[in-house]
Amino acid sequence: MYRSTFKRANDSTRILVTAIMGIAFGFFIGISISSVHLRKISLLSSPVGNSFDVPVAESEIDRFSAEVERSPAVIDSSSGTKNLEVLGSIKLPKIFVASNPRGAESLPPGIVVSESDFYLRRLWGEPSEDLKKKPKYLVTFTVGLEQRHNINAAVKKFSDDFAILLFHYDGRTSEWDQFEWSKKAIHVSARKQTKWWYAKRFLHPDIVSAYEYIFIWDEDLGVEHFNADKYIHLVKKYGLEISQPGLEPNKGLTWEMTKRRGDKEVHMVTEEKPGWCSDPHLPPCAAFVEIMAPVFSREAWRCVWHMIQNDLVHGWGLDFALRRCVEPAHEKIGVIDSQWIVHQVIPSLGNQGESDKGKKPWDSVRARCKSEWAQFQVRLTNSDKAYLEGLKRNGKS
């Protein structure tokens, strides 16, 4: 009887120990599987991998990795799907990259995007598949609806290598959808503003850096004898950084430099009225184009944009100062004669002005243009003087 009782007690003990060991084994297996699963989720959803490109000490990277606190993935109760959002905190390494753009010094260089473009993108699909073709050049017109047929004719002169951007000074944009190309164009609207006002605010060099050349044109240009692809070919052939098409000699002509030469492809110098040019390599005899239809390389535009004044919106005087942005200017600024245009001289924007002191709207606008030219010259002269005086103070010649 005693041996029988002892045997039953011993069997019960073995069963209990086996059960406890089984429970413990199952518990540790479960913990291990869960840990591996959470690690995958955490690595997918956290930016740790990308941050390793930051030039920091290895000990800092090790500490950064160790401080990642992993938490279970959030489950969307409505859809039953995992958001892969980790409920944890990551202590970021201290970053300071002096070569980053101003204000972005605390970002790892690999995430900094300092330039942009006007490429239109889809709302669906893979971003890498959005663009079938990237335009290489940018054309801007400052327009009112009354000149829509003229602009329609002009746009047809540009191939799909050119992106079209319209600045609307009359606030009417939707009516342009009568033209199929308008549905793919960029439209910016602000009432009664000039193209240089728009250019200063919407054509920052970092925004248009994707384009090799930028056309900043008026709306009243006849383009019957103009082909944009041939124009670009000649600009590249002659190495022009700033250019314009030649102007029809019999209409809307102000300067000899921009008059079309029938016997040339391109010209960079001219002869003006006696006494107008103190140096044959200086404006208006050379290194000069007008502001009605200029074309800039992206490198030249980066300089010119910084010279445009926020409050001097008509751009008068800018044409004489363009030579400051290229060197040698008399070889890098020119007129394309074989691709020429007609200046139709339609004061449509001028008519958007208001009467002032008994003057008609257009006369008031023109008076401001002349005033701005004088102010621009004063600012430029004073800036030159201040710079030279600064060199003298610092002992430089």
Side-chain angles (χ1 to χ4, degrees):
M1 182 180 298
Y2 171 76
R3 284 198 298 269
S4 178
T5 301
F6 177 78
K7 183 178 180 181
R8 285 198 299 269
N10 198 30
D11 290 342
S12 299
T13 301
R14 280 200 299 271
I15 292 171
L16 180 60
V17 170
T18 302
I20 291 173
M21 291 180 64
I23 292 171
F25 181 74
F27 174 78
F28 286 115
I29 289 295
I31 287 295
S32 300
I33 294 174
S34 177
S35 176
V36 171
H37 182 63
L38 295 180
R39 176 177 175 82
K40 290 180 179 179
I41 294 174
S42 180
L43 289 176
L44 283 171
S45 59
S46 70
V48 176
N50 291 336
S51 298
F52 286 162
D53 294 332
V54 180
V56 296
E58 289 185 11
S59 59
E60 177 117 356
I61 294 176
D62 293 339
R63 186 170 66 254
F64 178 43
S65 301
E67 289 173 348
V68 176
E69 299 177 5
R70 301 179 180 84
S71 300
V74 174
I75 304 298
D76 187 334
S77 59
S78 61
S79 63
T81 60
K82 296 181 180 179
N83 294 332
L84 293 180
E85 177 183 349
V86 175
L87 299 176
S89 60
I90 301 174
K91 187 175 180 180
L92 298 174
K94 291 183 178 180
I95 298 173
F96 184 85
V97 184
S99 59
N100 277 0
R102 187 177 65 178
E105 294 87 352
S106 63
L107 298 176
I111 201 62
V112 173
V113 180
S114 60
E115 299 175 341
S116 191
D117 53 63
F118 288 113
Y119 300 150
L120 295 176
R121 295 188 174 274
R122 305 175 301 176
L123 305 182
W124 63 93
E126 287 295 323
S128 61
E129 300 174 357
D130 283 348
L131 305 174
K132 294 181 180 179
K133 182 176 183 179
K134 292 183 178 180
K136 295 186 290 185
Y137 318 110
L138 177 66
V139 184
T140 76
F141 295 97
T142 303
V143 302
L145 188 64
E146 291 184 1
Q147 298 303 319
R148 62 189 180 279
H149 296 297
N150 200 49
I151 294 298
N152 182 47
V155 168
K156 291 179 179 179
K157 295 292 183 173
F158 294 88
S159 68
D160 59 1
D161 278 331
F162 297 80
I164 305 298
L165 170 57
L166 298 188
F167 297 128
H168 299 269
Y169 61 75
D170 61 355
R172 303 174 69 179
T173 59
S174 59
E175 292 94 332
W176 288 82
D177 280 351
Q178 63 186 277
F179 305 116
E180 192 62 31
W181 56 262
S182 176
K183 299 174 184 178
K184 299 179 181 179
I186 307 295
H187 297 264
V188 178
S189 177
R191 292 179 181 273
K192 299 188 177 183
Q193 300 302 317
T194 71
K195 73 176 181 180
W196 298 109
W197 182 91
Y198 283 111
K200 186 65 174 178
R201 288 150 182 84
F202 298 100
L203 299 181
H204 187 281
D206 288 343
I207 297 297
V208 300
S209 64
Y211 308 101
E212 295 179 39
Y213 295 93
I214 300 100
F215 293 60
I216 304 180
W217 280 20
D218 288 354
E219 63 180 342
D220 59 341
L221 304 175
V223 293
E224 182 181 352
H225 305 282
F226 178 82
N227 179 284
D229 289 324
K230 293 180 179 179
Y231 183 93
I232 290 293
H233 170 75
L234 291 171
V235 164
K236 293 180 178 180
K237 176 180 177 180
Y238 289 92
L240 298 179
E241 298 290 327
I242 302 175
S243 64
Q244 74 161 77
L247 292 176
E248 164 60 44
N250 300 321
K251 191 172 185 180
L253 186 68
T254 303
W255 307 99
E256 286 294 320
M257 178 63 188
T258 55
K259 180 191 295 186
R260 178 177 69 92
R261 309 279 182 83
D263 59 341
K264 292 181 177 291
E265 280 188 328
V266 173
H267 72 272
M268 276 83 86
V269 296
T270 192
E271 292 185 5
E272 264 292 354
K273 299 178 179 62
W276 278 31
C277 298
S278 59
D279 186 315
H281 288 166
L282 295 180
C285 287
F288 176 81
V289 297
E290 296 188 62
I291 59 173
M292 72 177 74
V295 179
F296 303 94
S297 71
R298 65 178 148 222
E299 293 80 11
W301 178 246
R302 185 168 290 277
C303 171
V304 172
W305 182 89
H306 284 89
M307 194 163 49
I308 300 171
Q309 308 291 290
N310 284 321
D311 57 333
L312 306 184
V313 296
H314 290 287
W316 280 38
L318 192 62
D319 41 10
F320 279 80
L322 294 176
R323 63 190 177 95
R324 294 170 177 261
C325 289
V326 293
E327 182 67 32
H330 65 279
E331 295 178 5
K332 297 295 184 179
I333 300 178
V335 176
I336 307 295
D337 296 294
S338 60
Q339 297 301 315
W340 50 282
I341 59 176
V342 176
H343 187 202
Q344 299 168 339
V345 198
I346 301 174
S348 48
L349 180 58
N351 292 334
Q352 297 283 314
E354 295 181 359
S355 299
D356 182 38
K357 299 178 181 179
K359 294 181 180 179
K360 295 180 180 179
W362 169 243
D363 292 332
S364 297
V365 170
R366 191 169 185 81
R368 170 151 179 169
C369 290
K370 293 179 179 179
S371 174
E372 287 191 5
W373 190 355
Q375 292 183 58
F376 183 74
Q377 281 301 120
V378 169
R379 293 181 191 183
L380 207 51
T381 300
N382 289 342
S383 297
D384 285 338
K385 186 183 300 183
Y387 174 74
L388 294 174
E389 289 175 352
L391 291 181
K392 290 180 180 179
R393 285 194 300 271
N394 294 327
K396 299 177 181 179
S397 57

